[in-house]
Amino acid sequence: MTLIKSISGIRGTIGGRPGDNLTPIDAVKFAAAYGIWLKEYSQKEQLKVAIGRDARLSGEMIQNLVVSTLVGLGVDVIDLGLSTTPTVEIAVPLEEADGGIILTASHNPKQWNALKLLNEKGEFLDAEQGKKILEIAEREDFDFAEVDDLGTITKNDAYIDIHIDEVLNLSLVDAETIRNAKFKVVVDGVNSTGGIAIPKLLEALGVEVIKLYCEPTGHFPHNPEPLKEHLTDICQLVVEEKADFGIVVDPDVDRLAFISNEGEMFGEEYTLVACADYVLGKTKGNTVSNLSSSRALRDVTQKHGGTYEAAAVGEVNVVIKMKANNAIIGGEGNGGIIYPESHYGRDSLVGTALFLMLMAEKGGTVAELRASYPSYFMSKKKIELTPDLDVDGILKAMEKKYQDEDISTIDGVKIDFPENWVHLRKSNTEPIIRIYTEAKSQSEADGLAERIISEIKEVAGI
């Protein structure tokens, strides 16, 4: 069982002992630390925080603890109930709230949950802010409100509908164009809130929807990370139903993957590539993704006359670089679409609408669209960490070994070879080293990953 405290929030497995797992005591302590920090940060007498959750089994328990803790600090709470990460991000500025919390462990299995923390813009906190919250939680410097100063709770379950309206109002989304294309789409909502939000959006756009695992019970029918090996059911159903394509989201709906009409993965990496292709074809501009994302975005951006930049892994890092470079679309290769005209957060609803527009205007099949893009293949491996493993020393040794190559060290070590690349980094959310590679064939990508893993083991003496 695990409890991971990082600048991006607190994430852990439910049950067990405080400090070792995400127990009620840990949830209260971290929520209190966020509330205390927010008071110092905002300098306002009365604060308001929007809170929503995905459908995982521990969600209601954790939400009750977090909401009550903030009320005990004198903070007013807008309770969005079952929601999505991008929906809460949109709700914060619309409610003129001072911050937000999403209760979700994203793609992690059902025993996990987490507190994701937002600022007054509905964006994730930066590293310095996250560090301060961890410090407050560590010293337990809490001062709760007296009885006459307790916060209030206002329930508002309309925000998924409000979010859909926001998507329909985007300048590059035309519902009539999509409706006229008469799409038929299968949706895998992994029995979480994507099963509510994505079908509602599609129906508003005139798309025929076949639902698969769209009941928000929190009992995930398969591993909730939207990877090929977990998605055999939807791949089969798309073919059986003769659907135009399939849509898969993770439990909190910030990662988006497509299944082609042939029942094959479109590729999570190519979600962003396709959406960027559509946006850049309408509006000239720049793009940003993280260091672990495909070169295909760079190629498509350059095709449209734009400039591509890579950021350190982590949504907040991508957003910072997008703002600095005036990027009109960006995100992460795990299927995360960030479209600033909507908001600076990964949003599967926005990505779905942009993809539907691309398909409606281009015509043809999803398989044909995928074949039209530069063909890259990725391998995503990991090495479990042990207490005696000197990770920083390993990364330094690999950097030195490949010092004559094009190297970036803004986030772990990325080695860009002429025809392929490898990115080595410590995970922020799990006790592992991630080894990502990309090449022109799957066998080449896998071979490069295995070679690097062997070299790491040699350096580490394991």
Side-chain angles (χ1 to χ4, degrees), residues 197-216:
I198 299 296
K200 270 192 172 188
L201 170 67
L202 293 175
E203 287 159 3
L205 291 167
V207 175
E208 181 183 349
V209 181
I210 308 295
K211 295 181 183 180
L212 175 68
Y213 307 136
C214 286
E215 290 296 321

Side-chain angles (χ1 to χ4, degrees), residues 38-39 41-48 96-98:
L38 202 58
K39 287 184 174 186
Y41 170 73
S42 68
Q43 297 290 304
K44 287 172 65 175
E45 278 194 28
Q46 190 58 44
L47 298 176
K48 181 163 56 173
E96 298 181 345
D98 303 288

Side-chain angles (χ1 to χ4, degrees), residues 89 122-123 315 319 322-323 327 338-340 342-346:
E89 291 170 346
E123 298 170 14
E315 184 172 323
V319 167
M322 285 182 70
K323 290 177 178 179
I338 301 175
Y339 186 48
S342 176
H343 64 114
Y344 277 105
R346 294 181 299 172

Side-chain angles (χ1 to χ4, degrees), residues 53-72:
R53 63 181 176 91
D54 70 13
R56 62 186 62 232
L57 300 174
S58 61
E60 189 171 7
M61 175 191 75
I62 297 294
Q63 180 154 6
N64 288 338
L65 291 163
V66 170
V67 168
S68 295
T69 301
L70 292 177
V71 167

Side-chain angles (χ1 to χ4, degrees), residues 5-6 42 136 181 253 262 322 343 384 426 428 442:
K5 302 172 186 176
S6 74
S42 68
I136 294 168
V253 204
E262 296 174 351
M322 285 182 70
H343 64 114
E384 297 289 337
K426 291 188 291 187
N428 290 328
Q442 193 62 56

